[in-house]
Amino acid sequence: MRLARQPDGQVVCDPDRRRPGRGAYVCDDGECAEALKNTGPLARAFRAPVTVQPKTLDWVREWRRSESTR
């Protein structure tokens, strides 16, 4: 799953991989999804401060569940 950073620092899911700018990818491993709560790795990946909203974490968790059931 690709994540994108908006100009205001918010991290959003980018399933179509079309948002402009630097992206970061999260794997479908549960530990990777839970690690998003800690913004340090994402800030390094985006090379800028980031904020991850709970709805983004929920979306990644749901994506992970749907991918693992296929």
Side-chain angles (χ1 to χ4, degrees):
M1 169 59 65
R2 182 177 193 267
L3 302 175
R5 181 183 178 274
Q6 296 181 326
D8 65 357
Q10 294 290 323
V11 174
V12 295
C13 294
D14 185 18
D16 297 327
R17 299 177 298 223
R18 294 186 180 182
R19 291 188 181 262
R22 181 176 296 275
Y25 290 85
V26 61
C27 68
D28 62 357
D29 183 356
E31 292 178 14
C32 292
E34 290 305 313
L36 294 177
K37 292 178 186 175
N38 176 8
T39 59
L42 282 176
R44 280 192 303 276
F46 287 116
R47 299 179 185 168
V50 297
T51 304
V52 181
Q53 295 293 324
K55 66 181 177 182
T56 301
L57 294 174
D58 292 341
W59 203 94
V60 170
R61 286 184 197 114
E62 184 62 33
W63 165 78
R64 194 182 136 268
R65 281 192 291 270
S66 67
E67 286 294 311
S68 64
T69 58
R70 288 185 182 180

